[in-house]
């Protein structure tokens, strides 16, 4: 099993990771669980070996996994504005000092 540092380790995401996650969220908007599961499978196949993949690719796979998990027992299509994780990130960025 691969260590998915882009998705699981607490850290400040790089601009590449943020961009990858944002692309996935835009693409996933309106998708059902089965559609995101198909997209995840396609992304994993395209990525190949995650141990050698760049951080953007690992972040993309991690976000597809997270969204697919969120939709597992959810009857509605994906929407970032109702995704508690995404909204928490946006709030944290907005309220960040510095």
């Amino acid at each position: 099993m691969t260590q998915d540092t882009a998705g699981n380790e607490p850290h400040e995401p790089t601009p590449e990771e943020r961009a990858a996650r944002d692309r996935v969220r835009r693409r996933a908007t309106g998708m059902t669980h089965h559609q995101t599961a198909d997209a995840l499978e396609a992304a994993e196949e395209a990525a190949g070996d995650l141990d050698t993949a760049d951080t953007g690719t690992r972040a993309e796979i991690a976000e597809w996994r997270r969204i697919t998990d969120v939709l597992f027992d959810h009857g509605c299509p994906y929407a970032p504005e109702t995704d508690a994780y995404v909204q928490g990130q946006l709030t944290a960025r907005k309220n960040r000092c510095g």
Side-chain angles (χ1 to χ4, degrees), residues 49-66:
D49 182 12
L50 287 181
D51 287 332
T52 60
D54 61 63
T55 59
T57 299
R58 289 193 311 271
E60 178 181 342
I61 299 298
E63 190 63 2
W64 277 120
R65 285 180 183 155
R66 190 191 67 75

Side-chain angles (χ1 to χ4, degrees), residues 18-94:
R18 282 190 185 143
R21 289 182 175 128
D22 288 344
R23 280 192 306 274
V24 170
R25 291 169 187 164
R26 280 192 304 274
R27 196 165 151 225
T29 298
M31 288 184 165
T32 64
H33 175 262
H34 294 297
Q35 291 169 318
T36 61
D38 289 344
L40 168 59
E41 184 178 337
E44 287 175 329
E45 287 176 14
D49 182 12
L50 287 181
D51 287 332
T52 60
D54 61 63
T55 59
T57 299
R58 289 193 311 271
E60 178 181 342
I61 299 298
E63 190 63 2
W64 277 120
R65 285 180 183 155
R66 190 191 67 75
I67 291 171
T68 300
D69 288 347
V70 164
L71 294 178
F72 178 74
D73 61 355
H74 194 272
C76 299
Y78 179 74
E81 58 274 3
T82 61
D83 185 333
Y85 179 79
V86 171
Q87 295 307 308
Q89 281 185 328
L90 293 173
T91 299
R93 286 183 198 152
K94 180 180 166 186

